[in-house]
């Protein structure tokens, strides 16, 4: 009895659960067959074997990408990499391919079937050869949506191939090639992976990933190897493969099967995973996205575990700045390994066991190994000249990393060719009023609404109706027909590279993966909204949540020429997505979001946990920073990763990073914060911003920020980072902060470092000439500038009507700030809320000659369009004035007749 798994090569990643595969294999291979474990080929002369070998066997060392028609996509790719990339230091397991010609030879064999009554014989009719029998069976499949007939046809075809006799000459050359492989490894006790490789597989437009079966830990002699090879041939007619060919327009008879046999990589006692040479969610092609987990990689692809994740920046890696840009520690609750069996004939005997808690708290590979994989991925992409989907495995015996497959990435890379931006938008008040059922990893950026259908068993799949939301523990390739009709997918388990995630991207539907409790929280028939438009976290809401779909043709999007458009980006998880919007960089990256979400601990608590009297709080602080030599190292590492991710996403465009500006009441809410923060009557005007950085009670914490920013700029290489000092009350304070930064190794002007000041206090505007001596530029913070100009607490609900950035007083300050910066030859931009909320303010600032506007990402497209139109209109008006508007000063008179703009009350002629 064999145990088929869908293909993840020799690291055992598959897309079919063992329960499903076992039941199918028992019905498929129960027929007796000739025992070949002790066959003798002495009656075959050497010339015959040699001639057969040239037709039916190819060593990986003889293959290249041009051999797809002969050995299929996987084997051709392995041969290509073995020959071209091994010299570059990339490890590829050695092996050989049983060619498509061997499969054709099998089709020419006499058709044998068990006596009637037999459904296979009924479907095959009076066929004489295996190939004829398959063609006869396939002729019965008229409608692929007829799942019952699809199942009968697929099973019959697999049974026909499984019972086909293997010609002796083919058996002989397979035995010879296997012996040579064992000799090459110098180990007669090795086991092999036996992998399907169809001739239409791993193409740039059709991956066929997970459609065919492969077998692991196979003994490379006798019946076990031949059974696995024949089973790979049979998997050309799995239900999912048949449907995939029909959906993609492939003729069944035109797709042939080759089989690869290669030495096993012992990832069962180490780790394995998948990596892409682009971010799979956004399509950003500047990074390598790597995932991994303990044991065989099956769990990663199938979505049975929440894997570890890493990002490596390609350009920085090539420049010698080799650092992990970002990492996410996955739960990795289970580990897949081999089931012990002494029979010598067991194929794919695998099992999951709980991962020890201590191991779960560590990454499955080291940073050095992550970077080695990143380097492999970059070289592979450069060789193939396109984004790639790569499978890797670590050998637990020799501790080396191996590449076990590489195929063209077929989803995100193709979406990049579209110039239409789709934005799904929900209003905060709409989601706030709904019950949130579960959350998980968001896949895609779409929203879908539908009735839920809980699927816990395969026999429930026929109940699924088109347009329903598929809710399951996890999915497998056998669910393809149902997934194609789903409006969205929600699973308990999985990561961003699991089967459900990959298929949802391919189908263009949203998915929320790894929710833990979807199948117990959601009920069949519930109307739910699956929302992946709120960031990296996906949400499932009860009921119908209204949303907008906005489409923009970026190819023809007009952009302003006089004003740079930047973005306000605080969440590193969204940076790769936002970097693809039409903008010139980041005008405001707040540290507060990273400190709150990724760190969650007061920096002084990490520096001095001994000062925390509450034992439980102290233990929680130390637990958060476990794995680091000192708790404060945790703060530096996570802050650097967060800022580095934003800087890397937009590189080489400038990214303005505002140093921390928590107020005392906000710092107190962080874990361990209370012992280090006083209770202030008015935190808005209290101990915040620049005043903290050199104060004895906080300067140690500021030194951690300096260390993190130094790491981002110098170690990680992101010299596009510009630092900005907030809430700076005097030139003397500015001098003290710059001196403190210099002591920490960040000196303004060295290595191109620029330092800006938030222009958010009236003193910053009124003394802009003095502040210009210390800073390279200014960024207007309209929120604080408005509240301090008008004397309005912006957090006061009762005074909201009085808080208005369009006040004449505020606008005068804006004008003065721009003029003052220009007078001193300094950069001046705005990063406050006003341009995002009020298009008329954006128009005003443009007319005043501001250098840049930093907007919320959802305002970038519309503001680009409006400011470009304004510039065009201004140029037209100027032309009318210069040319007399057709005579008699008509152009000037026309401007007077326009309705008065609200700004005309502040500055005559501003409108």
């Amino acid at each position: 009895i064999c145990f088929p798994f869908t293909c993840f090569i020799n690291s055992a990643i598959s897309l079919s659960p063992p329960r499903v595969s076992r039941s199918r294999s028992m019905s498929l291979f129960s027929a007796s067959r000739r025992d070949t474990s002790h066959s003798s080929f002495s009656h075959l002369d050497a010339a015959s074997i040699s001639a057969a070998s040239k037709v039916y066997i190819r060593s990986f060392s003889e293959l290249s990408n041009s051999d797809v028609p002969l050995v299929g996509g996987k084997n051709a790719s392995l041969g290509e990499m073995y020959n071209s990339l091994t010299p570059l230091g990339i490890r590829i397991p050695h092996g050989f391919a049983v060619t498509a010609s061997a499969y054709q030879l099998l089709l020419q064999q006499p058709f044998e079937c068990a006596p009637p009554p037999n459904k296979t014989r009924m479907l095959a009719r009076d066929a004489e050869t295996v190939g004829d029998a398959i063609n006869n069976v396939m002729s019965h499949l008229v409608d692929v949506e007829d799942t019952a007939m699809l199942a009968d046809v697929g099973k019959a075809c697999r049974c026909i191939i499984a019972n086909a006799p293997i010609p002796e000459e083919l058996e002989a050359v397979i035995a010879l090639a296997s012996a040579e492989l064992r000799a090459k490894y110098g180990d007669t006790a090795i086991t092999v992976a036996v992998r399907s490789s169809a001739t239409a597989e791993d193409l740039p437009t059709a991956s066929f990933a997970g459609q065919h079966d492969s077998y692991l830990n196979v003994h490379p002699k006798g019946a076990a190897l031949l059974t696995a090879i024949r089973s790979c041939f049979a998997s050309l007619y799995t239900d999912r493969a048949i449907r995939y060919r029909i959906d993609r327009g492939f003729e069944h008879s035109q797709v042939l099967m080759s089989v690869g046999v290669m030495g096993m990589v012992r990832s069962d006692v180490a780790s394995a995973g998948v990596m892409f040479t682009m971010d799979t969610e956004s399509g950003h092609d500047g990074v390598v996205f790597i995932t991994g987990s303990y044991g065989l990689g099956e769990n990663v692809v199938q979505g049975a575990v929440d894997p570890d994740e890493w990002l490596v920046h390609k350009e920085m890696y090539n420049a010698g700045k080799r650092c992990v840009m970002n990492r996410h520690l996955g739960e990795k609750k289970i580990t897949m390994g081999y089931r012990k069996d002494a029979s010598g004939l067991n194929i794919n005997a695998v099992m999951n066991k709980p991962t020890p808690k201590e191991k779960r708290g560590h990454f499955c590979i080291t940073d050095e190994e992550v970077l080695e994989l990143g380097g492999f991925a970059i070289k592979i992409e450069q060789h193939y000249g396109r984004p790639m989907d790569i499978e890797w495995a670590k050998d637990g015996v020799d501790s080396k990393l191996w590449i076990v497959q590489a195929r063209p990435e077929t989803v995100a890379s193709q979406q990049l060719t579209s110039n239409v931006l789709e934005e799904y938008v929900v209003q905060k008040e709409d989601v706030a009023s709904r019950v949130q059922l579960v959350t998980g990893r968001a896949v895609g950026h779409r929203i879908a609404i539908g009735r839920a259908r809980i699927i816990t068993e395969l026999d429930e799949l026929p109940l699924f109706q088109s347009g329903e939301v598929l809710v399951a523990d996890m999915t497998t390739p056998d669910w393809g027909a149902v997934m194609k009709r789903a409006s969205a997918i929600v699973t308990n388990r999985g990561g961003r590279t699991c089967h459900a995630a990959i298929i949802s991207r391919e189908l263009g539907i949203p998915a929320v993966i790894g929710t833990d409790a979807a199948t117990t929280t959601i009920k069949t028939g519930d109307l739910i909204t699956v929302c992946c438009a709120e960031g990296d976290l996906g949400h499932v809401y009860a009921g119908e949540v209204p949303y907008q779909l906005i489409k923009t043709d970026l190819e023809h999007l007009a952009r302003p020429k006089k004003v740079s458009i930047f973005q306000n980006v605080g969440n590193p998880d969204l940076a790769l997505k936002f970097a693809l919007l039409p903008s010139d960089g980041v005008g405001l990256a707040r540290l507060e979001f990273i400190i709150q979400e990724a760190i969650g601990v007061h920096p002084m608590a990490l520096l001095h946990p001994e000062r925390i009297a509450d034992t439980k709080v102290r233990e929680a602080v130390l637990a958060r920073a476990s794995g680091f030599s000192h708790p404060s190292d945790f703060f530096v590492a996570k802050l650097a990763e967060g800022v580095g991710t934003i800087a890397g996403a937009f590189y080489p465009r400038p990214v303005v990073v505002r140093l921390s500006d928590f107020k005392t009441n906000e710092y107190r809410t962080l874990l361990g914060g209370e012992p280090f923060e006083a209770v202030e009557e008015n935190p808005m005007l209290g101990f915040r911003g620049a005043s903290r950085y050199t104060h004895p009670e906080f300067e140690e914490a500021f030194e951690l920020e300096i260390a993190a920013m130094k790491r981002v700029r110098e170690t990680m290489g992101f010299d596009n980072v510009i630092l900005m000092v907030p809430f700076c009350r005097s030139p003397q304070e500015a001098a003290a902060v710059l001196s403190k930064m210099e002591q920490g190794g960040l000196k303004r002007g060295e290595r191109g470092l620029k330092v800006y000041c938030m222009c958010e206090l009236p003193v910053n505007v009124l003394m802009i000439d003095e502040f210009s001596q210390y800073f390279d530029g200014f960024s207007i913070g309209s929120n604080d500038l408005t509240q301090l100009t008008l004397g309005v607490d912006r957090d006061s609900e009762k005074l909201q009507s009085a808080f208005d950035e369009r006040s004449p007083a505020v606008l005068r300050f804006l004008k003065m700030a721009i003029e003052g910066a220009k007078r001193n030859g300094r950069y001046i931009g705005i990063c406050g809320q006003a341009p995002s909320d009020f298009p008329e303010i954006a128009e005003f600032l443009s007319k005043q000659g501001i250098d840049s506007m930093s907007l919320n990402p959802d305002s970038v497209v519309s503001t680009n369009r409006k400011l470009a139109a304004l510039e065009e209109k201004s140029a037209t008006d100027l032309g009318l004035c210069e040319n007399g508007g057709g005579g008699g000063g008509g152009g000037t008179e026309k401007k007077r007749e326009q309705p008065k703009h609200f700004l005309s009350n502040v500055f005559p002629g501003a409108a």
Side-chain angles (χ1 to χ4, degrees):
I1 304 301
C2 67
F3 196 173
F5 269 66
T6 49
C7 186
F8 183 81
I9 325 170
N10 53 356
S11 61
I13 289 187
S14 79
L15 302 179
S16 295
R19 175 182 57 78
V20 178
S21 297
R22 184 180 294 277
S23 63
R24 187 181 67 218
S25 64
M26 292 183 71
S27 64
L28 176 59
F29 300 109
S30 56
S32 62
R33 57 174 68 92
R34 177 169 54 92
D35 181 9
T36 59
S37 57
H38 303 289
S39 295
S40 172
F41 310 110
S42 58
H43 61 285
L44 295 175
D45 59 70
S48 297
I49 293 178
S50 176
S53 181
K54 292 178 181 179
V55 177
Y56 304 129
I57 299 293
R58 286 287 189 278
S59 167
F60 286 173
S61 61
E62 301 176 286
L63 297 175
S64 69
N65 272 338
S66 62
D67 292 309
V68 172
L70 179 65
V71 296
K74 283 184 175 62
N75 286 336
S77 177
L78 283 165
E80 176 75 22
M81 291 191 294
Y82 186 85
N83 290 296
S84 300
L85 299 180
T86 297
L88 301 181
I90 298 177
R91 301 179 196 90
I92 312 294
H94 191 50
F96 63 89
V98 181
T99 67
S101 298
Y103 172 72
Q104 290 177 307
L105 178 66
L106 195 71
L107 296 184
Q108 296 166 10
Q109 301 309 300
F111 170 51
E112 297 179 2
C113 192
N118 185 290
K119 182 175 287 188
T120 298
R121 181 172 293 282
M122 292 169 57
L123 292 173
R125 296 193 294 272
D126 298 324
E128 294 184 1
T129 67
V130 171
D132 291 339
I134 290 174
N135 290 335
N136 290 347
V137 170
M138 289 301 298
S139 68
H140 292 276
L141 185 62
V142 178
D143 182 7
V144 74
E145 300 298 334
D146 184 347
T147 56
M149 178 56 75
L150 174 63
D152 287 343
V153 164
K155 182 178 179 181
C157 289
R158 297 193 300 273
C159 184
I160 291 168
I161 296 174
N163 287 280
I166 294 182
E168 285 193 351
E169 65 269 31
L170 179 56
E171 191 174 329
V173 296
I174 290 173
L176 180 62
S178 175
E180 291 176 351
L181 179 62
R182 297 197 306 275
K184 187 172 184 66
Y185 275 93
D187 182 3
T188 57
I190 68 163
T191 59
V192 295
V194 181
R195 308 170 42 245
S196 57
S197 179
T199 56
E201 200 167 89
D202 292 348
L203 303 177
T205 56
S207 70
F208 277 85
Q211 306 304 316
H212 308 120
D213 293 341
S214 287
Y215 301 82
L216 309 170
N217 199 29
V218 179
H219 289 271
K221 293 189 294 183
L225 179 58
L226 292 177
T227 297
I229 291 172
R230 183 160 30 194
S231 301
C232 284
F233 286 153
S235 73
L236 191 62
Y237 288 93
T238 61
D239 301 356
R240 57 185 181 270
I242 294 171
R243 184 183 184 100
Y244 193 92
R245 287 194 294 272
I246 292 173
D247 289 344
R248 293 304 180 102
F250 287 92
E251 288 290 337
H252 299 292
S253 60
Q254 299 304 308
V255 179
L256 305 178
M257 180 64 79
S258 169
V259 178
V261 179
M262 61 197 297
M264 283 295 303
V265 175
R266 291 299 306 277
S267 59
D268 59 303
V269 287
S271 50
V274 181
M275 57 183 175
F276 293 83
T277 60
M278 65 189 312
D279 178 59
T280 54
E281 290 309 305
S282 64
H284 195 298
D285 61 1
V287 298
V288 177
F289 174 51
I290 304 170
T291 67
S293 188
Y294 295 118
L296 302 172
E298 153 70 11
N299 283 336
V300 177
V301 166
Q302 193 171 9
V305 293
D306 175 17
D308 296 331
E309 298 178 353
W310 303 267
L311 287 175
V312 175
H313 195 271
K314 294 179 189 175
E315 187 170 346
M316 286 301 114
Y317 184 95
N318 289 332
K321 300 289 186 177
R322 296 179 178 178
C323 294
V324 177
M325 188 170 82
N326 198 296
R327 75 204 78 206
H328 165 75
L329 183 67
E331 296 257 338
K332 306 184 295 295
K333 292 182 180 179
I334 55 177
T335 299
M336 181 177 284
Y338 296 137
R339 190 188 304 275
K340 303 298 183 182
D341 193 313
S343 70
L345 294 178
N346 208 355
I347 302 172
N348 275 337
V350 298
M351 61 181 294
N352 273 314
K353 58 183 179 180
T355 306
K357 186 175 181 181
E358 182 181 354
K359 288 186 69 177
R360 289 172 56 189
H362 297 277
F363 288 95
C364 66
I365 54 176
T366 66
D367 279 6
E368 290 73 20
E369 290 170 328
V370 171
L371 293 173
E372 184 177 3
L373 286 173
F376 286 176
I378 291 170
K379 290 177 181 178
I380 291 171
E381 182 182 55
Q382 289 173 343
H383 178 75
Y384 283 93
R386 59 169 296 116
M388 298 294 290
D389 170 355
I390 304 165
E391 297 163 359
W392 63 270
K394 179 180 178 180
D395 194 304
V397 178
D398 63 16
S399 297
K400 293 179 179 179
L401 295 167
W402 297 78
I403 297 301
V404 293
Q405 182 55 45
R407 62 174 67 90
E409 198 283 333
T410 59
V411 180
S413 55
Q414 292 187 22
Q415 292 173 352
L416 283 179
T417 60
S418 172
N419 288 311
V420 177
L421 173 68
E422 289 189 347
E423 297 175 279
Y424 286 75
V425 181
V426 291
Q427 300 301 322
K428 290 182 179 179
E429 55 269 22
D430 288 329
V431 296
S433 63
R434 298 301 195 280
V435 175
Q436 179 176 278
L437 299 174
V438 291
T439 61
R441 303 299 296 273
V443 177
H445 308 292
R446 293 179 168 86
I447 300 172
I449 300 169
R451 298 283 177 184
R453 173 70 64 178
I454 313 298
I455 300 293
T456 58
E457 301 290 341
L458 279 178
D459 57 13
E460 296 172 344
L461 288 175
L463 301 175
F464 193 87
Q465 302 297 311
S466 295
E468 290 182 327
V469 177
L470 174 61
V471 182
D473 184 53
M474 60 185 187
T475 67
T476 78
D478 292 307
W479 296 29
V482 164
M483 297 173 78
K484 189 175 181 181
R485 293 184 281 132
S487 60
I489 299 170
V490 182
T491 69
N492 292 338
R493 297 189 281 168
R496 287 204 288 159
T497 58
C498 74
H499 175 257
I502 291 172
I503 297 302
S504 66
R505 291 189 197 100
E506 186 173 317
L507 296 176
I509 60 176
V512 178
I513 305 299
T515 65
D516 283 335
T519 55
T520 56
T521 304
I522 303 169
K523 307 300 180 186
T524 292
D526 287 351
L527 181 65
I528 58 175
T529 298
V530 180
C531 181
C532 294
E534 299 176 82
D536 189 54
L537 193 66
H539 303 261
V540 179
Y541 298 104
E544 183 173 345
V545 178
Y547 67 90
Q548 276 186 297
L549 172 57
I550 304 171
K551 294 185 178 183
T552 303
D553 185 353
L554 296 180
E555 186 175 1
H556 300 101
L557 176 68
R559 297 190 61 187
K561 299 177 181 178
K562 298 179 180 179
V563 182
S564 296
I565 299 297
F566 289 82
Q567 298 183 58
N568 300 331
V569 180
N571 185 349
D573 292 333
L574 296 176
L576 293 168
K577 171 189 173 183
F578 291 156
L580 301 181
L581 291 173
S583 70
D584 300 297
V586 175
L588 177 63
R590 301 180 179 91
L591 293 192
E592 294 82 41
F593 184 93
I594 301 170
I595 295 173
Q596 179 79 46
E597 299 297 325
I599 300 172
V601 184
H602 194 291
M604 291 300 292
L606 291 166
L607 283 161
H608 297 287
E610 73 280 0
R611 297 183 190 175
I612 304 173
D614 189 316
T615 303
K616 290 185 178 180
V617 173
R618 183 171 62 253
E619 290 176 350
V621 168
L622 294 175
R624 190 72 64 91
S626 64
F628 290 84
S629 57
H630 190 278
S632 60
D633 294 340
F634 165 69
F635 184 93
V636 174
K638 298 307 290 184
L639 189 60
E641 283 182 17
V643 173
T645 300
I646 298 173
F650 283 84
Y651 191 85
R653 291 170 288 175
V655 172
V656 181
V657 177
R658 189 183 71 184
L659 300 169
S660 64
D661 193 24
F662 274 130
K663 299 178 280 293
T664 51
N665 60 323
E666 295 167 335
Y667 263 125
R668 282 178 64 85
T669 64
L670 294 176
L671 183 63
E674 288 191 11
F676 302 97
E677 298 294 338
V679 177
E680 292 186 311
E681 291 296 328
N682 191 351
M684 190 72 74
L685 297 179
F687 189 38
R688 61 175 291 198
S691 63
R692 280 184 167 266
Y693 302 159
T694 57
H695 194 282
E697 293 182 10
F698 192 80
E699 61 179 346
E700 285 182 276
F702 184 59
E703 289 169 2
L704 299 182
E705 289 186 38
I706 294 173
M709 296 306 100
K710 182 178 173 64
R711 180 180 296 186
V712 171
R713 283 186 50 85
E714 298 178 13
T715 305
M716 300 177 77
F718 297 121
D719 54 8
N720 57 327
V721 167
I722 298 168
L723 299 180
M724 184 158 64
V725 178
F727 224 80
C728 188
R729 293 178 169 98
S730 69
Q732 293 78 16
E733 200 169 64
V737 170
L738 290 177
S739 176
K740 185 69 176 178
M741 292 172 61
E742 185 174 340
Q743 292 171 24
L746 288 176
K747 183 178 181 180
R748 176 189 168 209
E750 282 191 357
R751 294 186 173 90
L753 174 62
K754 293 182 180 180
V755 183
Y756 290 172
C757 176
M758 284 290 292
C759 187
E760 55 190 339
L761 312 177
V763 67
N764 300 140
V765 179
L766 297 172
M767 297 185 67
I768 199 165
D769 295 329
E770 289 80 0
F771 279 102
S772 293
Q773 298 175 33
Y774 298 96
F775 297 109
D776 301 289
F778 299 90
S779 187
I780 299 169
S782 58
N783 291 340
D784 276 336
L785 185 59
T786 298
Q787 76 168 347
L788 294 172
T789 300
L790 302 180
V792 176
D793 182 352
R794 59 187 170 99
D795 289 341
S796 171
E797 293 183 7
K798 295 180 179 179
L799 298 177
Q800 286 303 300
S801 61
F803 185 88
D804 191 344
E805 296 96 324
R806 296 169 294 181
S807 162
V810 176
L811 293 173
R812 288 186 182 181
F813 265 138
L814 294 178
K815 186 174 189 296
M816 290 170 62
I818 295 170
E819 290 176 344
K822 297 291 185 182
R823 182 170 61 249
N824 287 278
R826 294 292 185 258
Y827 160 90
I828 180 75
I830 186 168
C831 61
Q833 192 76 16
S836 296
D837 290 346
F838 305 111
E840 58 267 39
I841 290 185
E843 180 180 336
F844 166 72
L845 293 169
S846 176
K847 288 185 175 181
Q848 301 308 310
I850 199 165
D851 292 317
S852 71
M853 296 183 207
S854 194
L855 312 163
N856 295 335
D858 58 4
S859 302
V860 167
V861 171
S862 59
T863 304
N864 264 301
R865 189 183 293 115
K866 289 172 184 176
L867 290 180
L870 174 65
E871 288 182 358
E872 184 178 358
K873 180 178 181 299
S874 298
T876 302
D877 289 346
L878 181 62
L880 288 172
C881 292
E882 291 175 348
N883 297 323
T892 304
E893 189 64 23
K894 182 176 181 180
K895 288 186 70 176
R896 290 197 195 103
E897 292 174 355
Q898 291 180 342
K900 278 193 173 183
H901 194 282
F902 83 104
L903 297 177
S904 62
N905 295 324
V906 185
F907 305 108

